[in-house]
Amino acid sequence: MADCLFCNIIEGAIPSTKVYEDDVCYAFDDIAPEAPVHTLIVPKQHFASLNDDVPADLLGQLMARVPEIAKIKGIDESGYRVVVNTGADAGQTVFHLHVHVLGGKSLGEHVL
């Protein structure tokens, strides 16, 4: 999708700090981090949100990448938070499905 920020990042048209990539997803560091580690995992196939009839196997593949990303970022043992915002009221600002992986400090009651 030409006007989608994350599609353009995946295609390399917009630079990012790549953390991980495979045939299903691309993970990169958030440019406005909410924690010392704030990495986004996005599917390479465009879905605006969870409301777009995302195949269950794709959701499973995205979630299966989370522990690997946490290990790469060095937060697998200290702990991390996983968030998927769906819709404007939930705080979704880029309408391409993405998973936030946050850590590197005690997150307490913080809500993304």
Side-chain angles (χ1 to χ4, degrees):
M1 184 172 269
D3 60 342
C4 173
L5 174 65
F6 289 172
C7 287
N8 283 307
I9 288 172
I10 292 164
E11 292 182 11
I14 296 174
S16 66
T17 303
K18 180 169 81 168
V19 173
Y20 176 88
E21 182 176 17
D22 63 23
D23 59 330
V24 173
C25 69
Y26 184 81
F28 57 97
D29 288 332
D30 195 297
I31 61 167
E34 297 283 333
V37 172
H38 189 165
T39 300
L40 304 176
I41 307 171
V42 299
K44 289 187 172 179
Q45 185 177 357
H46 182 87
F47 294 94
S49 74
L50 286 174
N51 291 336
D52 274 3
D53 294 323
V54 182
D57 63 326
L58 176 60
L59 291 173
Q61 290 174 334
L62 292 175
M63 294 308 288
R65 298 328 189 269
V66 171
E68 187 170 355
I69 300 303
K71 186 171 186 170
I72 290 168
K73 298 302 287 185
I75 58 171
D76 56 316
E77 293 187 21
S78 60
Y80 52 91
R81 179 171 292 166
V82 178
V83 177
V84 178
N85 297 319
T86 303
D89 282 353
Q92 185 178 9
T93 58
V94 177
F95 288 86
H96 182 124
L97 174 65
H98 55 286
V99 177
H100 297 258
V101 180
L102 301 113
K105 71 173 188 175
S106 176
L107 297 172
E109 297 296 319
H110 177 78
V111 177
L112 180 65

